[in-house]
Amino acid sequence: MGMTDEERPQPHWRRCAGPWAVPVLVAVLLAQLAFAMVTTAVQQTPTIDEPVYVGAGVDYLREHRLRLNPEHPPLGKLVIGVGVALAGPRVDASFEGGQSAWGRHLLYESGNDPWRLMLWARLPVMALTLLCGLVVFAFARELAGRAGGLAALALYAFSPDVVAHGSLATLDAPAAGFVLTSVWLLWRARRRPRLYLPLAGLALGAALATRASTLPAVPVLLGLAALSTAARVRGRRAAVRAAAGAVVVAVSAVAVVWAAYLVVDPRLRGAAGPPPPGVPGLKGALVDLLPFPEAYRDGMRLQFGLERHPWQGFLFGRLYTGSLWYYLPAALLVKTPLGALVLWAAGSAAVLAVRRLRPAAPYLLLPAAVLLASAMAGSRNFGTRYALFLPMFLAVAAGCVLAARVRWAPAVTLALVAFVAVSSVRTYPYYLPYANEAFGGPARTRLLLHDSAVDWGQDLGRLADRLRERYPGERVWLVYKGSGVPSHYGIEAADPRSVPAREVRGLLVVSDSAAAKATGRLAALIDSSRPVDDVGHSITVYRR
């Protein structure tokens, strides 16, 4: 794999700096990421999905049943539930509503402080996001040296998508981080397979036990396990060792999935209610063959049923029904800092072009490509959270630019990383609606995208503050798309769609996701109103 850090010619900055320089820079970058996530989290009300995961996690730990949110595996929700449990919430065990109603009941109707409860629910996800940052640094350092590791970590730590979703009690960041960790351990297994193959399997199992959307990566990672195991062996022995390596990873991963379900319910009872819809054809046959608990397979059947739903999407001002294959690439162009886009492309090219980096190409590029292709084939065009693995894998690839023997590479890389940092800091604390400068910044994202890319219900608290400060005593009409309860934050409002248009006078407040999909009466009300304010780049205030 070429020279080590110690064998390479040392740049001037390395010769002048002491041995403490790199650890300090790593600590500073991670502290910046922690500050951005925590200060963002404490200002945001629950997003649409969070109450479901929070409620399910609490129910798993207290009641040991898989009744709630069966469409997703339990591990990520268990992690979230542990955070909530540390807050000591009041729980009404007699409540029997569905998963969304139960989450709202826990947050707003059981005597709990939703601000405090949500912070504790989000803290474990933030911790996992920080640990993933260490994996990004370590992986890139092994490939491109300490400077490459620092560049990769900086891209990761300043990624608006990483900050946005790493600060929420959702499953996207943990699942992506577990996949990256598994790939890094498989890379290390080239030299110490007995140590790292089982660990890689555990990390892969954690990803599968968090989100079933990581399943398409399994064949790729098993192939990488075989490649790592046979890297230093030739002939028939190589084939045997390759097969054994893949088996070790597969068995470890399956064990983690089973363990996650058994922790929740040792009796492995499925969710109550009607059975999940059948899955026809090859997909159904593959689901039936999975060596996982029946509850896992039922969750996949529910997911495939959701995939058949005619969801609405919104891209570049166009409202459509169904899905567009190019939605995710287009959304990533909008929501990725321009400097990161350049470094992602340059780093991928470097991994393929630099001879000593080529062995790493299948580890870095193939899992990300397969997961991206799978996400692009999905029917839910709801935002870049479905591709959150890209800022992780491609940050590592970007660090490899510094392994190319090009004189201007360090200066250009530093400039592009600084550009990313400035772009990220400028959007603080509104990371969810981030858009890069080429698309007008976060104030214009609502004209291009919707849902979790802009407005996921996160700004109800900010709206309450804005109404108190600027519009005290005014009549408020509200169309809010989210899981929060407006009245809990002191917002007294009525639905403008429930009365004749002539009666809607005063302030018309509309979530930008609702405005993007507005038709009929709501569209007419918006068209006949004048925008006067913007809350968090996710809610627009109109005057009528």
Side-chain angles (χ1 to χ4, degrees):
M1 284 302 297
M3 294 182 291
T4 65
D5 274 347
E6 288 73 20
E7 295 169 334
R8 295 189 191 99
Q10 301 297 299
H12 178 72
W13 70 268
R14 180 90 61 78
R15 294 195 301 268
C16 295
W20 47 265
V22 171
V24 167
L25 288 172
V26 169
V28 168
L29 288 170
L30 290 177
Q32 179 280 143
L33 175 58
F35 175 84
M37 290 192 297
V38 171
T39 55
T40 298
V42 298
Q43 298 180 52
Q44 295 188 149
T45 43
T47 58
I48 290 175
D49 288 3
E50 285 182 291
V52 172
Y53 299 146
V54 169
V58 170
D59 196 61
Y60 292 169
L61 291 173
R62 290 181 60 91
E63 305 299 329
H64 292 286
R65 57 186 179 181
L66 292 161
R67 180 178 69 90
L68 300 174
N69 197 233
E71 59 265 36
H72 289 298
L75 181 59
K77 290 168 286 185
L78 284 172
V79 171
I80 292 168
V82 168
V84 179
L86 293 174
R90 297 186 179 94
V91 179
D92 179 7
S94 65
F95 187 83
E96 293 294 336
Q99 58 187 28
S100 296
W102 164 242
R104 286 194 298 272
H105 182 76
L106 176 68
L107 290 172
Y108 297 107
E109 300 166 8
S110 301
N112 296 306
D113 178 356
W115 291 105
R116 180 173 179 270
L117 219 58
M118 286 308 306
L119 176 60
W120 278 96
R122 291 163 173 169
L123 284 173
V125 179
M126 295 185 220
L128 289 175
T129 304
L130 291 171
L131 290 174
C132 184
L134 289 176
V135 173
V136 168
F137 170 74
F139 201 168
R141 181 188 60 183
E142 291 174 17
L143 296 173
R146 293 171 186 169
L150 289 172
L153 178 57
L155 284 183
Y156 174 85
F158 285 107
S159 166
D161 268 347
V162 169
V163 177
H165 296 285
S167 59
L168 298 176
T170 55
L171 310 179
D172 305 288
F178 287 137
V179 173
L180 177 70
T181 302
S182 182
V183 171
W184 171 57
L185 292 168
L186 288 173
W187 172 254
R188 304 204 95 193
R190 290 162 55 89
R191 295 188 176 181
R192 299 183 65 185
R194 291 184 180 180
L195 173 62
Y196 290 112
L197 285 176
L199 294 176
L202 296 179
L204 175 58
L208 297 174
T210 300
R211 278 193 73 102
S213 60
T214 57
L215 271 168
V218 170
V220 178
L221 268 63
L222 294 183
L224 294 176
L227 180 64
S228 294
T229 310
R232 297 176 178 272
V233 186
R234 296 290 182 270
R236 182 179 299 177
R237 188 182 173 194
V240 173
R241 291 191 63 177
V247 169
V248 168
V249 171
V251 170
S252 301
V254 170
V256 172
V257 174
W258 277 91
Y261 278 89
L262 288 170
V263 164
V264 177
D265 183 1
R267 297 166 58 186
L268 292 179
R269 294 164 294 180
V279 182
L282 179 61
K283 290 180 179 179
L286 292 175
V287 169
D288 293 338
L289 290 173
L290 289 174
F292 298 145
E294 186 64 25
Y296 192 102
R297 297 197 294 271
D298 283 346
M300 289 197 64
R301 294 180 183 110
L302 288 170
Q303 287 289 351
F304 281 126
L306 292 172
E307 284 293 305
R308 294 195 290 270
H309 186 80
W311 302 101
Q312 281 190 315
F314 182 79
L315 180 64
F316 296 151
R318 174 193 169 195
L319 180 65
Y320 57 91
T321 300
S323 62
L324 302 175
W325 69 266
Y326 55 84
Y327 170 84
L328 266 180
L332 286 164
L333 282 176
V334 174
K335 294 190 65 63
T336 303
L338 295 173
L341 288 172
V342 174
L343 286 172
W344 286 4
S348 300
V351 169
L352 294 170
V354 177
R355 183 176 179 180
R356 71 179 187 82
L357 294 178
R358 284 177 194 155
Y363 293 82
L364 278 180
L365 304 183
L366 195 54
V370 169
L371 287 173
L372 179 60
S374 175
M376 288 169 60
S379 66
R380 284 166 276 189
N381 294 170
F382 293 160
T384 52
R385 64 190 178 97
Y386 295 106
L388 196 58
F389 47 85
L390 281 182
M392 301 180 182
F393 277 90
L394 295 186
V396 177
C400 294
V401 171
L402 295 175
R405 296 184 180 278
V406 181
R407 292 185 60 183
W408 46 261
V412 172
T413 300
L414 179 60
L416 290 172
V417 169
F419 186 21
V420 171
V422 169
S423 185
S424 180
V425 170
R426 286 180 63 194
T427 200
Y428 174 85
Y430 309 119
Y431 290 99
L432 268 175
Y434 172 84
N436 62 45
E437 291 76 8
F439 292 93
R444 293 187 57 80
T445 317
R446 65 185 182 87
L447 305 176
L448 309 170
L449 300 165
H450 81 316
D451 208 85
S452 64
V454 180
D455 162 36
W456 215 9
Q458 73 271 14
D459 281 326
L460 199 58
R462 290 189 179 111
L463 173 63
D465 293 340
R466 186 68 54 84
L467 293 175
R468 281 192 296 269
E469 293 167 3
R470 296 188 184 179
Y471 311 101
E474 294 205 38
R475 185 74 166 94
V476 178
W477 303 87
L478 176 64
V479 179
Y480 167 67
K481 186 179 185 296
S483 294
V485 177
S487 60
H488 181 87
Y489 301 95
I491 300 174
E492 299 299 330
D495 189 338
R497 298 165 295 186
S498 63
V499 300
R502 64 178 180 276
E503 296 183 18
V504 181
R505 292 289 183 269
L507 298 177
L508 174 64
V509 181
V510 185
S511 292
D512 288 334
S513 289
K517 300 169 65 174
T519 58
R521 176 175 293 183
L522 179 58
L525 287 170
I526 292 174
D527 290 342
S528 58
S529 303
R530 174 171 55 92
V532 295
D533 208 346
D534 166 79
V535 179
H537 307 308
S538 75
I539 299 174
T540 301
V541 180
Y542 303 85
R543 185 172 293 283
R544 286 181 57 80

